[in-house]
Amino acid sequence: SIVNAILGEERVIVSDVPGTTRDAIDTHFTKDGIKFTLIDTAGMRRRGKIDEPVERYSVMRSLRAIDRADVVLMMINAYEGITEQDKKIAGYAHESGKGVVIVVNKWDIYPDKDDKSTLRFTEELRDQLGFLQYAPVLYTSALTGQRVPRVTELVKYVAEQQSMRIKTSVLNDLIRDAVSINPPPMHRGKRLKILFMTQADIRPPKFIIFVNDPELMHFSYLRFIENKLRESFGFEGTPLQLIVRARDEEEYR
């Protein structure tokens, strides 16, 4: 339904029954001069309902579709809420380093809506999908067209965010500021020293952090550095890969 709403025409078969679409279907279109390929994945039922071999094959095809994608639209049914299958698929997209936009569809029939419904639902999303804190959330209705034009806008934005490159000099200014605000803690009488950081790749953005001893880098301090990167540069909708490597201090000097 959301694919048809984006395209403005009945291009793919629509059914209320999950699993109707068996294969991933590629649909090419152009909007505002930008070429898009929409991969409408096979419908994925909850794991307990995956009994037939063809159903399992559909799930496998959907996972392969994520591998091919740049940006994943993580579709959540507003009426049903977040399912275990949703969590597994979202986790796969995250671990695959894909850009993610969370699309909460059927918002027009969400029960007992008030002026704080989106806030409460978003809080639940952040709680249930904790690893997708960076993903923007969009509330849509394929039936009424509510906010559907925003889907391609967000996809374009996230694609730009995950392709962003930051100069090494700018990254090292950020590291100096971060360390001055929150110095690395001592561990067994030894302090972590961050020598420099550089960006190694995009889609997803990958950063190499050179330190005196990688074992001194606690995951909480690595999260602090990630938060500083996001505060300074955005990177909305994309996971970040931070890799810690050893570098001799004398060699660095």
mmCIF file with all atom_site columns, all heavy atoms in Angstrom, residues 25 51 57-58 69 72 75 78-79 88 101 135-136 144 149 170 184 188 235 240:
data_model
loop_
_atom_site.group_PDB
_atom_site.id
_atom_site.type_symbol
_atom_site.label_atom_id
_atom_site.label_alt_id
_atom_site.label_comp_id
_atom_site.label_asym_id
_atom_site.label_entity_id
_atom_site.label_seq_id
_atom_site.pdbx_PDB_ins_code
_atom_site.Cartn_x
_atom_site.Cartn_y
_atom_site.Cartn_z
_atom_site.occupancy
_atom_site.B_iso_or_equiv
_atom_site.pdbx_formal_charge
_atom_site.auth_seq_id
_atom_site.auth_comp_id
_atom_site.auth_asym_id
_atom_site.auth_atom_id
_atom_site.pdbx_PDB_model_num
ATOM 1   N N   . ILE A 1 25  ? 10.045 -7.059  -5.099 1.00 0.00 ? 25  ILE A N   1
ATOM 2   C CA  . ILE A 1 25  ? 9.725  -6.464  -6.391 1.00 0.00 ? 25  ILE A CA  1
ATOM 3   C C   . ILE A 1 25  ? 10.415 -5.108  -6.515 1.00 0.00 ? 25  ILE A C   1
ATOM 4   O O   . ILE A 1 25  ? 10.253 -4.243  -5.653 1.00 0.00 ? 25  ILE A O   1
ATOM 5   C CB  . ILE A 1 25  ? 8.193  -6.279  -6.540 1.00 0.00 ? 25  ILE A CB  1
ATOM 6   C CG1 . ILE A 1 25  ? 7.474  -7.628  -6.395 1.00 0.00 ? 25  ILE A CG1 1
ATOM 7   C CG2 . ILE A 1 25  ? 7.863  -5.624  -7.873 1.00 0.00 ? 25  ILE A CG2 1
ATOM 8   C CD1 . ILE A 1 25  ? 5.976  -7.501  -6.233 1.00 0.00 ? 25  ILE A CD1 1
ATOM 9   N N   . ASP A 1 51  ? 5.447  -21.471 8.595  1.00 0.00 ? 51  ASP A N   1
ATOM 10  C CA  . ASP A 1 51  ? 5.420  -22.931 8.558  1.00 0.00 ? 51  ASP A CA  1
ATOM 11  C C   . ASP A 1 51  ? 5.814  -23.473 7.195  1.00 0.00 ? 51  ASP A C   1
ATOM 12  O O   . ASP A 1 51  ? 6.521  -24.467 7.085  1.00 0.00 ? 51  ASP A O   1
ATOM 13  C CB  . ASP A 1 51  ? 4.018  -23.447 8.927  1.00 0.00 ? 51  ASP A CB  1
ATOM 14  C CG  . ASP A 1 51  ? 3.620  -23.017 10.336 1.00 0.00 ? 51  ASP A CG  1
ATOM 15  O OD1 . ASP A 1 51  ? 4.498  -23.039 11.205 1.00 0.00 ? 51  ASP A OD1 1
ATOM 16  O OD2 . ASP A 1 51  ? 2.446  -22.657 10.533 1.00 0.00 ? 51  ASP A OD2 1
ATOM 17  N N   . TYR A 1 57  ? 11.217 -18.920 2.578  1.00 0.00 ? 57  TYR A N   1
ATOM 18  C CA  . TYR A 1 57  ? 11.940 -18.394 1.420  1.00 0.00 ? 57  TYR A CA  1
ATOM 19  C C   . TYR A 1 57  ? 11.668 -16.898 1.253  1.00 0.00 ? 57  TYR A C   1
ATOM 20  O O   . TYR A 1 57  ? 12.573 -16.119 0.927  1.00 0.00 ? 57  TYR A O   1
ATOM 21  C CB  . TYR A 1 57  ? 11.518 -19.160 0.160  1.00 0.00 ? 57  TYR A CB  1
ATOM 22  C CG  . TYR A 1 57  ? 12.148 -18.670 -1.116 1.00 0.00 ? 57  TYR A CG  1
ATOM 23  C CD1 . TYR A 1 57  ? 13.507 -18.867 -1.369 1.00 0.00 ? 57  TYR A CD1 1
ATOM 24  C CD2 . TYR A 1 57  ? 11.386 -18.009 -2.078 1.00 0.00 ? 57  TYR A CD2 1
ATOM 25  C CE1 . TYR A 1 57  ? 14.091 -18.425 -2.538 1.00 0.00 ? 57  TYR A CE1 1
ATOM 26  C CE2 . TYR A 1 57  ? 11.959 -17.559 -3.254 1.00 0.00 ? 57  TYR A CE2 1
ATOM 27  C CZ  . TYR A 1 57  ? 13.312 -17.777 -3.473 1.00 0.00 ? 57  TYR A CZ  1
ATOM 28  O OH  . TYR A 1 57  ? 13.886 -17.321 -4.642 1.00 0.00 ? 57  TYR A OH  1
ATOM 29  N N   . SER A 1 58  ? 10.430 -16.477 1.510  1.00 0.00 ? 58  SER A N   1
ATOM 30  C CA  . SER A 1 58  ? 10.076 -15.059 1.404  1.00 0.00 ? 58  SER A CA  1
ATOM 31  C C   . SER A 1 58  ? 10.872 -14.221 2.398  1.00 0.00 ? 58  SER A C   1
ATOM 32  O O   . SER A 1 58  ? 11.334 -13.125 2.076  1.00 0.00 ? 58  SER A O   1
ATOM 33  C CB  . SER A 1 58  ? 8.572  -14.871 1.659  1.00 0.00 ? 58  SER A CB  1
ATOM 34  O OG  . SER A 1 58  ? 7.805  -15.466 0.634  1.00 0.00 ? 58  SER A OG  1
ATOM 35  N N   . ALA A 1 69  ? 19.827 -2.822  -0.394 1.00 0.00 ? 69  ALA A N   1
ATOM 36  C CA  . ALA A 1 69  ? 19.291 -1.477  -0.191 1.00 0.00 ? 69  ALA A CA  1
ATOM 37  C C   . ALA A 1 69  ? 20.345 -0.497  0.331  1.00 0.00 ? 69  ALA A C   1
ATOM 38  O O   . ALA A 1 69  ? 21.331 -0.893  0.949  1.00 0.00 ? 69  ALA A O   1
ATOM 39  C CB  . ALA A 1 69  ? 18.122 -1.532  0.791  1.00 0.00 ? 69  ALA A CB  1
ATOM 40  N N   . VAL A 1 72  ? 16.682 1.579   4.382  1.00 0.00 ? 72  VAL A N   1
ATOM 41  C CA  . VAL A 1 72  ? 15.595 0.647   4.697  1.00 0.00 ? 72  VAL A CA  1
ATOM 42  C C   . VAL A 1 72  ? 14.440 1.418   5.329  1.00 0.00 ? 72  VAL A C   1
ATOM 43  O O   . VAL A 1 72  ? 14.630 2.153   6.306  1.00 0.00 ? 72  VAL A O   1
ATOM 44  C CB  . VAL A 1 72  ? 16.077 -0.455  5.664  1.00 0.00 ? 72  VAL A CB  1
ATOM 45  C CG1 . VAL A 1 72  ? 14.912 -1.324  6.135  1.00 0.00 ? 72  VAL A CG1 1
ATOM 46  C CG2 . VAL A 1 72  ? 17.141 -1.314  5.006  1.00 0.00 ? 72  VAL A CG2 1
ATOM 47  N N   . MET A 1 75  ? 8.882  -0.642  8.252  1.00 0.00 ? 75  MET A N   1
ATOM 48  C CA  . MET A 1 75  ? 7.445  -0.423  8.359  1.00 0.00 ? 75  MET A CA  1
ATOM 49  C C   . MET A 1 75  ? 6.883  -1.026  9.648  1.00 0.00 ? 75  MET A C   1
ATOM 50  O O   . MET A 1 75  ? 7.055  -2.214  9.918  1.00 0.00 ? 75  MET A O   1
ATOM 51  C CB  . MET A 1 75  ? 6.720  -1.050  7.159  1.00 0.00 ? 75  MET A CB  1
ATOM 52  C CG  . MET A 1 75  ? 7.155  -0.517  5.810  1.00 0.00 ? 75  MET A CG  1
ATOM 53  S SD  . MET A 1 75  ? 6.663  1.199   5.548  1.00 0.00 ? 75  MET A SD  1
ATOM 54  C CE  . MET A 1 75  ? 4.889  1.057   5.679  1.00 0.00 ? 75  MET A CE  1
ATOM 55  N N   . ALA A 1 78  ? 0.833  0.630   12.945 1.00 0.00 ? 78  ALA A N   1
ATOM 56  C CA  . ALA A 1 78  ? 0.450  1.398   14.127 1.00 0.00 ? 78  ALA A CA  1
ATOM 57  C C   . ALA A 1 78  ? -0.582 0.666   14.969 1.00 0.00 ? 78  ALA A C   1
ATOM 58  O O   . ALA A 1 78  ? -0.548 0.726   16.206 1.00 0.00 ? 78  ALA A O   1
ATOM 59  C CB  . ALA A 1 78  ? -0.091 2.774   13.708 1.00 0.00 ? 78  ALA A CB  1
ATOM 60  N N   . TYR A 1 79  ? -1.483 -0.036  14.315 1.00 0.00 ? 79  TYR A N   1
ATOM 61  C CA  . TYR A 1 79  ? -2.570 -0.713  15.030 1.00 0.00 ? 79  TYR A CA  1
ATOM 62  C C   . TYR A 1 79  ? -2.057 -1.927  15.802 1.00 0.00 ? 79  TYR A C   1
ATOM 63  O O   . TYR A 1 79  ? -2.463 -2.186  16.926 1.00 0.00 ? 79  TYR A O   1
ATOM 64  C CB  . TYR A 1 79  ? -3.666 -1.138  14.050 1.00 0.00 ? 79  TYR A CB  1
ATOM 65  C CG  . TYR A 1 79  ? -4.967 -1.526  14.720 1.00 0.00 ? 79  TYR A CG  1
ATOM 66  C CD1 . TYR A 1 79  ? -5.835 -0.545  15.198 1.00 0.00 ? 79  TYR A CD1 1
ATOM 67  C CD2 . TYR A 1 79  ? -5.308 -2.861  14.879 1.00 0.00 ? 79  TYR A CD2 1
ATOM 68  C CE1 . TYR A 1 79  ? -7.020 -0.889  15.819 1.00 0.00 ? 79  TYR A CE1 1
ATOM 69  C CE2 . TYR A 1 79  ? -6.502 -3.219  15.496 1.00 0.00 ? 79  TYR A CE2 1
ATOM 70  C CZ  . TYR A 1 79  ? -7.349 -2.231  15.970 1.00 0.00 ? 79  TYR A CZ  1
ATOM 71  O OH  . TYR A 1 79  ? -8.515 -2.579  16.600 1.00 0.00 ? 79  TYR A OH  1
ATOM 72  N N   . LYS A 1 88  ? 13.635 -8.166  14.891 1.00 0.00 ? 88  LYS A N   1
ATOM 73  C CA  . LYS A 1 88  ? 14.674 -8.968  14.227 1.00 0.00 ? 88  LYS A CA  1
ATOM 74  C C   . LYS A 1 88  ? 15.086 -8.340  12.895 1.00 0.00 ? 88  LYS A C   1
ATOM 75  O O   . LYS A 1 88  ? 16.272 -8.257  12.566 1.00 0.00 ? 88  LYS A O   1
ATOM 76  C CB  . LYS A 1 88  ? 14.182 -10.401 14.016 1.00 0.00 ? 88  LYS A CB  1
ATOM 77  C CG  . LYS A 1 88  ? 14.060 -11.203 15.310 1.00 0.00 ? 88  LYS A CG  1
ATOM 78  C CD  . LYS A 1 88  ? 13.575 -12.602 15.040 1.00 0.00 ? 88  LYS A CD  1
ATOM 79  C CE  . LYS A 1 88  ? 13.563 -13.450 16.318 1.00 0.00 ? 88  LYS A CE  1
ATOM 80  N NZ  . LYS A 1 88  ? 12.611 -12.954 17.318 1.00 0.00 ? 88  LYS A NZ  1
ATOM 81  N N   . VAL A 1 101 ? 14.818 4.495   8.067  1.00 0.00 ? 101 VAL A N   1
ATOM 82  C CA  . VAL A 1 101 ? 13.716 5.400   8.404  1.00 0.00 ? 101 VAL A CA  1
ATOM 83  C C   . VAL A 1 101 ? 12.590 4.527   8.952  1.00 0.00 ? 101 VAL A C   1
ATOM 84  O O   . VAL A 1 101 ? 12.188 3.558   8.305  1.00 0.00 ? 101 VAL A O   1
ATOM 85  C CB  . VAL A 1 101 ? 13.214 6.188   7.173  1.00 0.00 ? 101 VAL A CB  1
ATOM 86  C CG1 . VAL A 1 101 ? 12.005 7.055   7.556  1.00 0.00 ? 101 VAL A CG1 1
ATOM 87  C CG2 . VAL A 1 101 ? 14.332 7.051   6.591  1.00 0.00 ? 101 VAL A CG2 1
ATOM 88  N N   . ALA A 1 135 ? 17.399 6.686   14.098 1.00 0.00 ? 135 ALA A N   1
ATOM 89  C CA  . ALA A 1 135 ? 16.490 6.635   12.950 1.00 0.00 ? 135 ALA A CA  1
ATOM 90  C C   . ALA A 1 135 ? 15.333 7.627   13.095 1.00 0.00 ? 135 ALA A C   1
ATOM 91  O O   . ALA A 1 135 ? 14.651 7.626   14.125 1.00 0.00 ? 135 ALA A O   1
ATOM 92  C CB  . ALA A 1 135 ? 15.936 5.223   12.774 1.00 0.00 ? 135 ALA A CB  1
ATOM 93  N N   . PRO A 1 136 ? 15.069 8.465   12.087 1.00 0.00 ? 136 PRO A N   1
ATOM 94  C CA  . PRO A 1 136 ? 13.900 9.349   12.140 1.00 0.00 ? 136 PRO A CA  1
ATOM 95  C C   . PRO A 1 136 ? 12.622 8.525   12.061 1.00 0.00 ? 136 PRO A C   1
ATOM 96  O O   . PRO A 1 136 ? 12.597 7.445   11.470 1.00 0.00 ? 136 PRO A O   1
ATOM 97  C CB  . PRO A 1 136 ? 14.062 10.241  10.910 1.00 0.00 ? 136 PRO A CB  1
ATOM 98  C CG  . PRO A 1 136 ? 14.942 9.462   9.981  1.00 0.00 ? 136 PRO A CG  1
ATOM 99  C CD  . PRO A 1 136 ? 15.837 8.636   10.842 1.00 0.00 ? 136 PRO A CD  1
ATOM 100 N N   . THR A 1 144 ? -4.941 7.361   3.264  1.00 0.00 ? 144 THR A N   1
ATOM 101 C CA  . THR A 1 144 ? -5.330 8.772   3.094  1.00 0.00 ? 144 THR A CA  1
ATOM 102 C C   . THR A 1 144 ? -4.230 9.602   2.431  1.00 0.00 ? 144 THR A C   1
ATOM 103 O O   . THR A 1 144 ? -4.481 10.732  2.014  1.00 0.00 ? 144 THR A O   1
ATOM 104 C CB  . THR A 1 144 ? -5.662 9.404   4.448  1.00 0.00 ? 144 THR A CB  1
ATOM 105 O OG1 . THR A 1 144 ? -4.465 9.491   5.251  1.00 0.00 ? 144 THR A OG1 1
ATOM 106 C CG2 . THR A 1 144 ? -6.705 8.584   5.198  1.00 0.00 ? 144 THR A CG2 1
ATOM 107 N N   . PRO A 1 149 ? 4.307  11.922  1.047  1.00 0.00 ? 149 PRO A N   1
ATOM 108 C CA  . PRO A 1 149 ? 5.372  12.616  0.310  1.00 0.00 ? 149 PRO A CA  1
ATOM 109 C C   . PRO A 1 149 ? 6.662  12.789  1.101  1.00 0.00 ? 149 PRO A C   1
ATOM 110 O O   . PRO A 1 149 ? 7.740  12.932  0.523  1.00 0.00 ? 149 PRO A O   1
ATOM 111 C CB  . PRO A 1 149 ? 4.741  13.984  -0.020 1.00 0.00 ? 149 PRO A CB  1
ATOM 112 C CG  . PRO A 1 149 ? 3.270  13.716  -0.031 1.00 0.00 ? 149 PRO A CG  1
ATOM 113 C CD  . PRO A 1 149 ? 3.053  12.709  1.056  1.00 0.00 ? 149 PRO A CD  1
ATOM 114 N N   . VAL A 1 170 ? 39.054 18.322  11.160 1.00 0.00 ? 170 VAL A N   1
ATOM 115 C CA  . VAL A 1 170 ? 37.823 18.673  11.870 1.00 0.00 ? 170 VAL A CA  1
ATOM 116 C C   . VAL A 1 170 ? 37.505 17.620  12.935 1.00 0.00 ? 170 VAL A C   1
ATOM 117 O O   . VAL A 1 170 ? 37.101 17.949  14.060 1.00 0.00 ? 170 VAL A O   1
ATOM 118 C CB  . VAL A 1 170 ? 36.649 18.810  10.882 1.00 0.00 ? 170 VAL A CB  1
ATOM 119 C CG1 . VAL A 1 170 ? 35.338 19.059  11.620 1.00 0.00 ? 170 VAL A CG1 1
ATOM 120 C CG2 . VAL A 1 170 ? 36.920 19.934  9.890  1.00 0.00 ? 170 VAL A CG2 1
ATOM 121 N N   . PRO A 1 184 ? 39.143 10.844  29.392 1.00 0.00 ? 184 PRO A N   1
ATOM 122 C CA  . PRO A 1 184 ? 38.987 9.394   29.542 1.00 0.00 ? 184 PRO A CA  1
ATOM 123 C C   . PRO A 1 184 ? 39.331 8.965   30.956 1.00 0.00 ? 184 PRO A C   1
ATOM 124 O O   . PRO A 1 184 ? 40.283 9.486   31.550 1.00 0.00 ? 184 PRO A O   1
ATOM 125 C CB  . PRO A 1 184 ? 39.991 8.827   28.525 1.00 0.00 ? 184 PRO A CB  1
ATOM 126 C CG  . PRO A 1 184 ? 40.224 9.916   27.546 1.00 0.00 ? 184 PRO A CG  1
ATOM 127 C CD  . PRO A 1 184 ? 40.094 11.188  28.318 1.00 0.00 ? 184 PRO A CD  1
ATOM 128 N N   . ARG A 1 188 ? 43.232 0.746   35.949 1.00 0.00 ? 188 ARG A N   1
ATOM 129 C CA  . ARG A 1 188 ? 44.413 0.072   36.497 1.00 0.00 ? 188 ARG A CA  1
ATOM 130 C C   . ARG A 1 188 ? 45.635 0.977   36.463 1.00 0.00 ? 188 ARG A C   1
ATOM 131 O O   . ARG A 1 188 ? 46.754 0.575   36.119 1.00 0.00 ? 188 ARG A O   1
ATOM 132 C CB  . ARG A 1 188 ? 44.693 -1.230  35.750 1.00 0.00 ? 188 ARG A CB  1
ATOM 133 C CG  . ARG A 1 188 ? 43.589 -2.268  35.919 1.00 0.00 ? 188 ARG A CG  1
ATOM 134 C CD  . ARG A 1 188 ? 43.897 -3.533  35.152 1.00 0.00 ? 188 ARG A CD  1
ATOM 135 N NE  . ARG A 1 188 ? 42.817 -4.512  35.314 1.00 0.00 ? 188 ARG A NE  1
ATOM 136 C CZ  . ARG A 1 188 ? 42.782 -5.678  34.689 1.00 0.00 ? 188 ARG A CZ  1
ATOM 137 N NH1 . ARG A 1 188 ? 43.768 -6.021  33.863 1.00 0.00 ? 188 ARG A NH1 1
ATOM 138 N NH2 . ARG A 1 188 ? 41.777 -6.510  34.885 1.00 0.00 ? 188 ARG A NH2 1
ATOM 139 N N   . PHE A 1 235 ? 24.462 12.880  11.073 1.00 0.00 ? 235 PHE A N   1
ATOM 140 C CA  . PHE A 1 235 ? 24.450 11.449  10.761 1.00 0.00 ? 235 PHE A CA  1
ATOM 141 C C   . PHE A 1 235 ? 23.101 10.824  11.113 1.00 0.00 ? 235 PHE A C   1
ATOM 142 O O   . PHE A 1 235 ? 23.036 9.690   11.569 1.00 0.00 ? 235 PHE A O   1
ATOM 143 C CB  . PHE A 1 235 ? 25.575 10.710  11.477 1.00 0.00 ? 235 PHE A CB  1
ATOM 144 C CG  . PHE A 1 235 ? 26.950 11.067  10.976 1.00 0.00 ? 235 PHE A CG  1
ATOM 145 C CD1 . PHE A 1 235 ? 27.876 11.680  11.807 1.00 0.00 ? 235 PHE A CD1 1
ATOM 146 C CD2 . PHE A 1 235 ? 27.305 10.797  9.663  1.00 0.00 ? 235 PHE A CD2 1
ATOM 147 C CE1 . PHE A 1 235 ? 29.142 12.019  11.340 1.00 0.00 ? 235 PHE A CE1 1
ATOM 148 C CE2 . PHE A 1 235 ? 28.580 11.125  9.185  1.00 0.00 ? 235 PHE A CE2 1
ATOM 149 C CZ  . PHE A 1 235 ? 29.499 11.734  10.036 1.00 0.00 ? 235 PHE A CZ  1
ATOM 150 N N   . LEU A 1 240 ? 26.798 4.315   12.903 1.00 0.00 ? 240 LEU A N   1
ATOM 151 C CA  . LEU A 1 240 ? 28.202 4.697   12.785 1.00 0.00 ? 240 LEU A CA  1
ATOM 152 C C   . LEU A 1 240 ? 29.068 3.529   13.240 1.00 0.00 ? 240 LEU A C   1
ATOM 153 O O   . LEU A 1 240 ? 28.734 2.846   14.210 1.00 0.00 ? 240 LEU A O   1
ATOM 154 C CB  . LEU A 1 240 ? 28.515 5.927   13.650 1.00 0.00 ? 240 LEU A CB  1
ATOM 155 C CG  . LEU A 1 240 ? 27.745 7.212   13.357 1.00 0.00 ? 240 LEU A CG  1
ATOM 156 C CD1 . LEU A 1 240 ? 28.204 8.323   14.293 1.00 0.00 ? 240 LEU A CD1 1
ATOM 157 C CD2 . LEU A 1 240 ? 27.893 7.638   11.906 1.00 0.00 ? 240 LEU A CD2 1
#
